[in-house]
Amino acid sequence: MKISKAAAAAAVAVALSLTATACGGSEKDAASDGGASGGAKDKIVVGIKYDQPGLGLKTPDGKFTGFDVDVATYVAKELGYQPNQIEFKQAVSAERENLIKNGDVKFIVATYSINDKRKEQVDFAGPYFLAHQDLLVRADDTSITKVEDLNKKKLCSVTGSTSAQNIKKTLAPEADLQEYPGYSDCLTGLENKAVDALTTDNSILAGYAAQEKNKGKFKLVGLSMSNENYGIGLKKGDKELQTKINAALKKMVEDGSWQKAVDKNLGPANYKNEPAPQITEGS
């Protein structure tokens, strides 16, 4: 059977159209899973906090600073991505598991404490940092020197955080727990005397207390109420990614980059960090 030139040209056009559509679909899929599909490495989406000075902070000019940002950037580079290929996405405490499970990010570096409940939904690499839960109070407040003093006091923490729950359940059951969307909201409440204390990890509290605008306003009580091992959250079952991130974290410690990042971001607050913890996840 003979095929006319017009029919042949039409067939070629249809084939090219289908090919282009298929290619376009794969690019879209790669972008929708935080760059986790193994396609072309155009970008990687990483979850961080936007409101934690010294750890994960988005500045007014749109830049990102902090220890977690430096860790995320180092890990991404070890995975094959340059800084200009990283897209940072806000990961508030209550949404971290959803962001990972929905494929909105490839991994999360956001003061994300490893615990059994979270490990039912996501996997972790690391840990890469050890912090301790503490309290931040107003600089002139002498009424809170130990955790039991929080009974009958207004205690603030962030929705989805483990810190306040630790106190409410076991340490100061009569504390009046106030949960705010972000740490900056808690800090405003503390300054305005709407709450009496802010609780979370000492690393986070030190970052806030060291901000220029907050110097002299607040103080750390100096308690170590828990051990908080920060891990990098990733999709459950992704052992390949977990192994690669663990290797990147080990390299970051060994080449001195980890300590440099700690000193740069938390040193100004006179924060005394623990040594880099041993990696336990995935082993």
Side-chain angles (χ1 to χ4, degrees), residues 91-112:
V92 298
S93 295
E95 289 298 319
R96 289 177 296 204
E97 287 82 22
N98 288 334
L99 288 171
I100 292 170
K101 290 191 292 184
N102 294 339
D104 296 321
V105 296
K106 189 164 186 177
F107 59 83
I108 287 180
V109 190
T111 57
Y112 202 179

Side-chain angles (χ1 to χ4, degrees), residues 169-187:
K169 288 179 181 178
T170 60
L171 301 172
E174 295 182 46
D176 182 4
L177 180 59
Q178 307 283 316
E179 291 188 301
Y180 286 19
Y183 292 109
S184 55
D185 302 298
C186 279
L187 204 69

Side-chain angles (χ1 to χ4, degrees), residues 43-269:
K43 70 173 184 177
I44 185 170
V45 184
V46 180
I48 60 167
K49 289 292 180 67
Y50 277 18
D51 65 344
Q52 292 181 349
L55 291 159
L57 182 70
K58 184 177 182 180
T59 61
D61 59 0
K63 295 180 180 179
F64 299 94
T65 66
F67 176 71
D68 279 351
V69 174
D70 288 348
V71 171
T73 301
Y74 189 101
V75 170
K77 185 176 181 180
E78 291 299 304
L79 295 176
Y81 297 89
Q82 296 302 311
N84 63 359
Q85 294 176 290
I86 302 171
E87 178 185 326
F88 288 117
K89 188 176 183 70
Q90 186 174 23
V92 298
S93 295
E95 289 298 319
R96 289 177 296 204
E97 287 82 22
N98 288 334
L99 288 171
I100 292 170
K101 290 191 292 184
N102 294 339
D104 296 321
V105 296
K106 189 164 186 177
F107 59 83
I108 287 180
V109 190
T111 57
Y112 202 179
S113 296
I114 300 170
N115 63 41
D116 291 339
K117 183 177 180 181
R118 288 169 177 166
K119 287 169 71 171
E120 292 175 1
Q121 301 184 67
V122 301
D123 279 340
F124 287 94
Y128 65 93
F129 194 83
L130 174 59
H132 303 288
Q133 186 180 351
D134 200 355
L135 300 173
L136 190 71
V137 298
R138 289 179 290 277
D140 61 354
D141 188 346
T142 58
S143 67
I144 301 174
T145 59
K146 57 186 183 299
V147 67
E148 291 80 7
D149 293 334
L150 289 172
N151 284 313
K152 309 298 185 182
K153 300 274 190 179
K154 291 183 179 180
L155 172 66
C156 188
S157 194
V158 172
T159 304
S161 172
T162 60
S163 300
Q165 299 301 330
N166 290 340
I167 291 177
K168 183 70 175 176
K169 288 179 181 178
T170 60
L171 301 172
E174 295 182 46
D176 182 4
L177 180 59
Q178 307 283 316
E179 291 188 301
Y180 286 19
Y183 292 109
S184 55
D185 302 298
C186 279
L187 204 69
T188 300
L190 182 59
E191 184 175 3
N192 296 336
K193 298 186 178 182
V195 297
D196 300 302
L198 162 59
T199 187
T200 188
D201 305 341
N202 53 8
S203 56
I204 299 172
L205 297 175
Y208 279 115
Q211 280 187 298
E212 190 64 36
K213 64 180 181 180
N214 293 328
K215 285 182 179 178
K217 294 181 180 179
F218 309 106
K219 65 182 179 182
L220 285 165
V221 175
L223 306 177
S224 293
M225 292 180 281
S226 69
N227 292 330
E228 303 296 334
N229 282 292
Y230 294 166
I232 294 181
L234 61 144
K235 188 166 286 188
K236 198 164 184 64
D238 195 340
K239 298 300 181 184
E240 181 181 358
L241 180 59
Q242 184 184 53
T243 299
K244 289 180 178 180
I245 294 178
N246 279 338
L249 293 174
K250 289 178 182 177
K251 182 178 177 181
M252 187 177 187
V253 173
E254 291 169 357
D255 69 15
S257 298
W258 184 90
Q259 189 61 53
K260 287 179 181 178
V262 173
D263 294 341
K264 181 183 77 173
N265 293 291
L266 299 175

